[in-house]
Amino acid sequence: MRQWLEDLEARRGLDHLTAGSRKLVVVSYALLLMMMVYRGLAVDSDGSSVGPLVAFVLPLLLFLPSILARRARGHAWLAFVSLLYFTQGVMVATLPGQAPRGILESLVSLALFTGCMGYARFRSRQLRQ
């Protein structure tokens, strides 16, 4: 795997790979954030509490400064947090009638994980040069 990544970096260039993984992070982060806002509002349909909304959205919002500042370390930590959303999506997918939403959540969080790990690797290698 390491050799494959090094070959990819040599063929495509770090600038191209960093920009591509950054786009994947931004798009998947925005999608997951929107899905969690919707889910938090749907769980508490009467609007009496903001607890579910905060529980779903806060972990993602904590990483917004790292994404905006393009910090590789913050992206690496966000990748690990995205695995929690992946696990949650898999569990939701097993509920009756919730399979499409759970599968979509799992796929978006997996895209976020992939983008974050790629960005953390490529950006840190780019800064070393």
Side-chain angles (χ1 to χ4, degrees):
M1 181 73 164
R2 183 178 185 174
Q3 185 62 42
W4 179 79
L5 282 171
E6 289 173 357
D7 291 342
L8 182 66
E9 290 168 5
R11 277 185 282 127
R12 298 284 180 125
L14 284 174
D15 292 337
H16 177 72
L17 292 171
T18 303
S21 59
R22 169 86 177 149
K23 287 177 189 174
L24 182 59
V25 167
V26 170
V27 169
S28 59
Y29 179 83
L31 282 172
L32 190 59
L33 189 60
M34 287 188 296
M35 290 175 66
M36 292 301 106
V37 167
Y38 174 76
R39 185 163 181 205
L41 293 173
V43 165
D44 187 34
S45 59
D46 63 351
S48 63
S49 173
V50 295
L53 179 63
V54 170
F56 288 124
V57 173
L58 185 64
L60 289 174
L61 288 180
L62 292 175
F63 290 97
L64 187 59
S66 291
I67 290 175
L68 295 176
R70 299 176 182 219
R71 289 191 289 262
R73 182 174 284 185
H75 282 75
W77 280 105
L78 178 58
F80 296 123
V81 170
S82 72
L83 293 177
L84 296 173
Y85 289 98
F86 175 79
T87 304
Q88 176 179 292
V90 169
M91 290 189 313
V92 168
T94 63
L95 298 174
Q98 299 294 317
R101 190 173 58 116
I103 291 170
L104 182 62
E105 184 179 334
S106 297
L107 291 175
V108 170
S109 62
L110 190 60
L112 181 61
F113 174 80
T114 305
C116 284
M117 291 307 291
Y119 184 81
R121 176 188 171 89
F122 302 136
R123 180 69 177 153
S124 62
R125 291 177 71 94
Q126 192 178 41
L127 292 173
R128 273 190 253 152
Q129 287 183 350

